[in-house]
Short mmCIF file of all heavy atoms in Angstrom, two decimals:
data_model
loop_
_atom_site.label_atom_id
_atom_site.label_comp_id
_atom_site.label_asym_id
_atom_site.label_seq_id
_atom_site.Cartn_x
_atom_site.Cartn_y
_atom_site.Cartn_z
N LEU A 733 69.13 58.01 71.89
CA LEU A 733 69.45 56.69 72.42
C LEU A 733 70.25 56.81 73.71
O LEU A 733 70.01 56.06 74.68
CB LEU A 733 70.22 55.88 71.38
CG LEU A 733 70.62 54.46 71.77
CD1 LEU A 733 69.40 53.61 72.09
CD2 LEU A 733 71.45 53.81 70.66
N GLU A 734 71.18 57.73 73.75
CA GLU A 734 72.01 57.90 74.95
C GLU A 734 71.16 58.30 76.15
O GLU A 734 71.29 57.74 77.24
CB GLU A 734 73.08 58.95 74.68
CG GLU A 734 74.01 59.17 75.85
CD GLU A 734 75.05 60.25 75.57
OE1 GLU A 734 74.90 60.97 74.58
OE2 GLU A 734 76.02 60.34 76.35
N LYS A 735 70.25 59.24 75.95
CA LYS A 735 69.41 59.69 77.07
C LYS A 735 68.40 58.61 77.45
O LYS A 735 68.04 58.49 78.63
CB LYS A 735 68.70 60.98 76.68
CG LYS A 735 69.64 62.17 76.55
CD LYS A 735 68.90 63.44 76.16
CE LYS A 735 69.86 64.62 76.04
NZ LYS A 735 69.16 65.86 75.61
N TYR A 736 67.95 57.85 76.48
CA TYR A 736 67.03 56.76 76.79
C TYR A 736 67.70 55.72 77.68
O TYR A 736 67.08 55.19 78.61
CB TYR A 736 66.53 56.14 75.48
CG TYR A 736 65.73 54.86 75.66
CD1 TYR A 736 64.61 54.81 76.48
CD2 TYR A 736 66.11 53.69 75.00
CE1 TYR A 736 63.89 53.64 76.64
CE2 TYR A 736 65.39 52.52 75.15
CZ TYR A 736 64.28 52.50 75.96
OH TYR A 736 63.57 51.34 76.13
N ARG A 737 68.94 55.42 77.39
CA ARG A 737 69.65 54.46 78.23
C ARG A 737 69.81 54.98 79.65
O ARG A 737 69.80 54.21 80.61
CB ARG A 737 71.02 54.17 77.61
CG ARG A 737 70.94 53.29 76.36
CD ARG A 737 72.27 53.20 75.64
NE ARG A 737 72.21 52.26 74.52
CZ ARG A 737 73.13 52.16 73.58
NH1 ARG A 737 74.20 52.96 73.61
NH2 ARG A 737 72.99 51.29 72.59
N GLN A 738 69.93 56.28 79.79
CA GLN A 738 70.08 56.87 81.12
C GLN A 738 68.75 56.91 81.87
O GLN A 738 68.71 56.66 83.09
CB GLN A 738 70.65 58.29 81.00
CG GLN A 738 72.06 58.34 80.44
CD GLN A 738 72.49 59.75 80.10
OE1 GLN A 738 71.71 60.71 80.24
NE2 GLN A 738 73.73 59.91 79.66
N THR A 739 67.66 57.19 81.14
CA THR A 739 66.33 57.29 81.77
C THR A 739 65.32 56.57 80.91
O THR A 739 64.62 57.18 80.09
CB THR A 739 65.92 58.77 81.94
OG1 THR A 739 66.99 59.51 82.51
CG2 THR A 739 64.68 58.89 82.82
N PRO A 740 65.20 55.24 81.03
CA PRO A 740 64.31 54.47 80.15
C PRO A 740 62.85 54.90 80.23
O PRO A 740 62.12 54.78 79.24
CB PRO A 740 64.50 53.02 80.63
CG PRO A 740 65.83 53.02 81.30
CD PRO A 740 65.98 54.35 81.93
N ASN A 741 62.40 55.40 81.38
CA ASN A 741 60.98 55.76 81.53
C ASN A 741 60.74 57.25 81.33
O ASN A 741 59.80 57.82 81.86
CB ASN A 741 60.48 55.33 82.91
CG ASN A 741 61.15 56.11 84.03
OD1 ASN A 741 62.25 56.64 83.85
ND2 ASN A 741 60.49 56.19 85.17
N PHE A 742 61.60 57.89 80.51
CA PHE A 742 61.49 59.34 80.32
C PHE A 742 60.12 59.75 79.82
O PHE A 742 59.60 60.80 80.19
CB PHE A 742 62.58 59.81 79.35
CG PHE A 742 62.27 59.52 77.91
CD1 PHE A 742 61.70 60.47 77.09
CD2 PHE A 742 62.50 58.26 77.38
CE1 PHE A 742 61.40 60.20 75.77
CE2 PHE A 742 62.20 57.99 76.07
CZ PHE A 742 61.65 58.95 75.26
N ALA A 743 59.50 58.94 78.95
CA ALA A 743 58.23 59.32 78.34
C ALA A 743 57.12 59.41 79.37
O ALA A 743 56.17 60.20 79.21
CB ALA A 743 57.85 58.32 77.25
N GLN A 744 57.22 58.62 80.42
CA GLN A 744 56.17 58.61 81.43
C GLN A 744 56.32 59.74 82.44
O GLN A 744 55.44 59.94 83.28
CB GLN A 744 56.19 57.25 82.16
CG GLN A 744 55.95 56.08 81.22
CD GLN A 744 56.20 54.73 81.88
OE1 GLN A 744 56.46 54.66 83.08
NE2 GLN A 744 56.11 53.66 81.09
N THR A 745 57.42 60.48 82.38
CA THR A 745 57.65 61.56 83.34
C THR A 745 57.67 62.93 82.66
O THR A 745 58.03 63.92 83.29
CB THR A 745 59.00 61.34 84.06
OG1 THR A 745 60.05 61.33 83.09
CG2 THR A 745 59.00 60.01 84.81
N MET A 746 57.30 62.97 81.38
CA MET A 746 57.36 64.23 80.65
C MET A 746 56.17 65.14 80.93
O MET A 746 56.18 66.31 80.53
CB MET A 746 57.47 63.97 79.14
CG MET A 746 58.85 63.51 78.71
SD MET A 746 58.95 63.18 76.94
CE MET A 746 58.72 64.82 76.27
N VAL A 747 55.13 64.60 81.57
CA VAL A 747 53.91 65.38 81.82
C VAL A 747 53.53 65.26 83.29
O VAL A 747 53.53 64.16 83.85
CB VAL A 747 52.75 64.89 80.94
CG1 VAL A 747 51.47 65.62 81.28
CG2 VAL A 747 53.08 65.08 79.47
N GLN A 748 53.25 66.39 83.91
CA GLN A 748 52.74 66.37 85.28
C GLN A 748 51.22 66.28 85.25
O GLN A 748 50.57 66.89 84.43
CB GLN A 748 53.15 67.64 86.02
CG GLN A 748 54.65 67.77 86.25
CD GLN A 748 54.99 69.06 86.97
OE1 GLN A 748 54.15 69.96 87.07
NE2 GLN A 748 56.20 69.16 87.48
N HIS A 749 50.67 65.52 86.17
CA HIS A 749 49.21 65.48 86.27
C HIS A 749 48.82 65.12 87.69
O HIS A 749 49.60 64.52 88.44
CB HIS A 749 48.61 64.49 85.26
CG HIS A 749 49.13 63.10 85.38
ND1 HIS A 749 48.81 62.25 86.40
CD2 HIS A 749 49.98 62.41 84.58
CE1 HIS A 749 49.41 61.09 86.22
NE2 HIS A 749 50.15 61.17 85.13
N PRO A 750 47.62 65.49 88.10
CA PRO A 750 47.16 65.19 89.47
C PRO A 750 46.84 63.71 89.59
O PRO A 750 46.88 62.96 88.60
CB PRO A 750 45.89 66.04 89.58
CG PRO A 750 45.39 66.13 88.16
CD PRO A 750 46.62 66.18 87.31
N PRO A 751 46.54 63.25 90.80
CA PRO A 751 46.10 61.86 90.96
C PRO A 751 44.88 61.59 90.08
O PRO A 751 43.95 62.40 90.03
CB PRO A 751 45.75 61.76 92.45
CG PRO A 751 46.56 62.84 93.09
CD PRO A 751 46.63 63.95 92.09
N LEU A 752 44.91 60.47 89.37
CA LEU A 752 43.85 60.18 88.40
C LEU A 752 42.76 59.36 89.07
O LEU A 752 42.85 58.13 89.17
CB LEU A 752 44.45 59.44 87.19
CG LEU A 752 45.54 60.21 86.45
CD1 LEU A 752 46.08 59.41 85.28
CD2 LEU A 752 45.02 61.56 85.96
N LEU A 753 41.75 60.05 89.54
CA LEU A 753 40.61 59.40 90.18
C LEU A 753 39.41 59.51 89.27
O LEU A 753 39.26 60.47 88.53
CB LEU A 753 40.32 60.05 91.53
CG LEU A 753 41.49 60.08 92.53
CD1 LEU A 753 41.11 60.84 93.78
CD2 LEU A 753 41.93 58.67 92.87
N SER A 754 38.51 58.52 89.36
CA SER A 754 37.36 58.49 88.46
C SER A 754 36.07 58.37 89.25
O SER A 754 36.03 57.74 90.33
CB SER A 754 37.49 57.30 87.50
OG SER A 754 36.34 57.20 86.69
N LEU A 755 35.02 58.97 88.72
CA LEU A 755 33.68 58.83 89.29
C LEU A 755 33.05 57.50 88.91
O LEU A 755 32.02 57.11 89.48
CB LEU A 755 32.78 59.97 88.81
CG LEU A 755 33.18 61.39 89.24
CD1 LEU A 755 32.28 62.41 88.55
CD2 LEU A 755 33.10 61.54 90.75
N PHE A 756 33.65 56.81 87.97
CA PHE A 756 33.06 55.58 87.45
C PHE A 756 33.84 54.37 87.96
O PHE A 756 35.05 54.44 88.20
CB PHE A 756 33.06 55.59 85.92
CG PHE A 756 32.33 56.76 85.33
CD1 PHE A 756 32.99 57.93 84.99
CD2 PHE A 756 30.96 56.70 85.13
CE1 PHE A 756 32.32 59.00 84.45
CE2 PHE A 756 30.28 57.78 84.58
CZ PHE A 756 30.95 58.94 84.25
N ASP A 757 33.13 53.27 88.12
CA ASP A 757 33.78 52.03 88.53
C ASP A 757 34.64 51.50 87.40
O ASP A 757 34.31 51.64 86.22
CB ASP A 757 32.73 50.97 88.90
CG ASP A 757 31.94 51.36 90.15
OD1 ASP A 757 32.51 52.11 90.98
OD2 ASP A 757 30.78 50.93 90.28
N ASP A 758 35.76 50.88 87.77
CA ASP A 758 36.62 50.27 86.77
C ASP A 758 35.96 49.06 86.15
O ASP A 758 35.22 48.32 86.82
CB ASP A 758 37.95 49.84 87.39
CG ASP A 758 38.81 51.03 87.79
OD1 ASP A 758 38.55 52.13 87.29
OD2 ASP A 758 39.74 50.84 88.60
#
Side-chain angles (χ1 to χ4, degrees):
L733 181 61
E734 182 181 13
K735 292 179 179 178
Y736 171 55
R737 287 170 175 167
Q738 295 170 357
T739 312
N741 66 337
F742 77 97
Q744 300 170 5
T745 60
M746 284 179 66
V747 176
Q748 293 179 347
H749 56 73
L752 301 179
L753 303 176
S754 176
L755 296 174
F756 302 93
D757 294 333
D758 290 342

